[in-house]
Amino acid sequence: MNWTKIFLFSLFTLVGKPYFAQTIVDDIDSEQSSFSQQAPELSTEKLEKISASGRVLILTNNSGSYGKGDFISIVLDNQLVNRAIVGKTSNGSGGIKIIKVYSQELNKILKPGMEVQIIRGDDSYFNIKKEKMADNKDKGLIDDEDNLFDETTLLEDDLSLDDNKGREIKTDNIVSLYLAQVETQDASGNSGRSSHISGSYSYQVEDNFWAEIGYGQGLEKEYPGEGLDTTVTNIVLKLKYTVSAPFYSFIQPYVGYQIINADSPGAGSDGDGITDEQKDLELELVEDLNQRKVVFGVTLLKRLVPGWFARADIGNDSLNIGFALEF
């Protein structure tokens, strides 16, 4: 028996098999690594609000690319900015809580109205090193997903800032543009209505309590006499309360104060055949349009799409119809 051949065969058997197995494992790892480099699906959304601490963000969810409980990453300029968990989705928007910041520089430039890209789930495509930031504890950020549900951390800054469960309308601001029919009178003293292009701004001072200021302007032609026009401005201050109604609608009873001012530069001026009595009458008719009174009524809001309402007002100040935008 050739002991040299036996020795070489045994050596090849003991050493060759592990080497072969290792090669297979390396090939599998290589395939997995290559697979992980496939570009993930990105959706483009817009930041709507950022909390004072910067840890709670509200952004659109128009594409429906994420849901409650999902882990998502924000991407800006093809770079990961931060990692977050989705706390809630509602009316085409989502509230997220930041759990890790990848880039402090990019995170600082995030602001409402900015468009960002969203990755749902795995973000390893960008080959970001999983380095824990040394100042995470100082900033109160969560180190990783394992301690996400640490009770103390969540209580420091929960999603109630943007969730506002007690509010019928979650946002703080509403701007409106509408056509108003304001009560006036004609040159004969008969009551009537004139059309005013109007706008208003409303702010939610407390849950469901709104303060609103509205302004409108119209033109009374041939008033207070032939060849004369009168500009009428309408300012209304209102306090409203919001009640939810069926079909994505809201009812807002209101009380307020109305100021109507009339201005006719030509009234009371000298002219051919104009007597003093006619001058005085013209000035009196213009003065009759000026009003100061307490008003009350109701505003109706019907949600059309996320952020937009159809609006109607019925009150002793005016009858309005138009559109409103919340933000």
Side-chain angles (χ1 to χ4, degrees), residues 260-281:
I260 296 179
N261 291 319
D263 180 38
S264 181
S269 300
D270 294 331
D272 295 337
I274 301 297
T275 65
D276 290 340
E277 289 77 10
Q278 288 176 312
K279 295 177 185 178
D280 292 340
L281 178 59

Side-chain angles (χ1 to χ4, degrees), residues 164-174 202-212 238-243 252:
N164 296 322
K165 295 181 179 179
R167 295 185 175 189
E168 301 298 342
I169 299 176
K170 307 304 181 184
T171 53
D172 289 330
N173 308 278
I174 294 179
S202 304
Y203 179 74
Q204 191 163 196
V205 292
E206 293 289 344
D207 288 356
N208 300 319
F209 283 96
W210 294 77
E212 179 179 283
K238 298 177 180 178
L239 181 63
K240 301 180 172 184
Y241 184 78
T242 303
V243 179
Q252 295 182 315

Side-chain angles (χ1 to χ4, degrees), residues 78-249:
N78 209 34
Q79 299 181 61
L80 286 177
V81 181
N82 49 43
R83 184 76 163 158
I85 185 173
V86 180
K88 182 173 183 177
T89 58
S90 177
N91 297 324
S93 297
I96 66 173
K97 186 178 181 68
I98 302 301
I99 60 174
K100 181 178 291 187
V101 175
Y102 290 121
S103 171
Q104 288 287 2
E105 292 75 13
L106 292 176
N107 190 63
K108 288 178 182 178
I109 67 174
L110 295 180
K111 60 182 179 180
M114 176 181 290
E115 287 190 347
V116 296
Q117 291 182 302
I118 302 298
I119 301 175
R120 177 177 175 268
D122 181 26
D123 60 8
S124 61
Y125 170 77
F126 288 88
N127 294 322
I128 297 297
K129 295 180 179 180
K130 306 296 184 178
E131 297 177 349
K132 293 184 179 180
M133 302 186 65
D135 58 347
N136 272 359
K137 292 184 178 180
D138 294 337
K139 295 182 178 297
L141 296 178
I142 302 174
D143 290 334
D144 51 42
E145 297 170 2
D146 293 335
N147 64 357
L148 172 65
F149 297 100
D150 177 73
E151 182 179 5
T152 303
T153 306
L154 284 177
L155 288 178
E156 289 176 0
D157 188 6
D158 58 26
L159 289 174
S160 62
L161 171 68
D162 300 284
D163 188 12
N164 296 322
K165 295 181 179 179
R167 295 185 175 189
E168 301 298 342
I169 299 176
K170 307 304 181 184
T171 53
D172 289 330
N173 308 278
I174 294 179
V175 291
S176 304
L177 183 66
Y178 46 88
L179 178 66
Q181 294 290 315
V182 180
E183 186 175 353
T184 56
Q185 65 180 31
D186 59 26
S188 300
N190 299 319
S191 62
R193 291 186 178 273
S194 63
S195 297
H196 288 202
I197 300 298
S198 305
S200 67
Y201 168 72
S202 304
Y203 179 74
Q204 191 163 196
V205 292
E206 293 289 344
D207 288 356
N208 300 319
F209 283 96
W210 294 77
E212 179 179 283
I213 180 170
Y215 176 83
Q217 181 173 297
L219 184 66
E220 291 286 314
K221 294 185 176 181
E222 302 298 322
Y223 187 95
E226 185 176 353
L228 298 174
D229 293 334
T230 300
T231 300
V232 180
T233 58
N234 177 31
I235 301 173
V236 186
L237 306 175
K238 298 177 180 178
L239 181 63
K240 301 180 172 184
Y241 184 78
T242 303
V243 179
S244 181
F247 306 109
Y248 305 102
S249 301

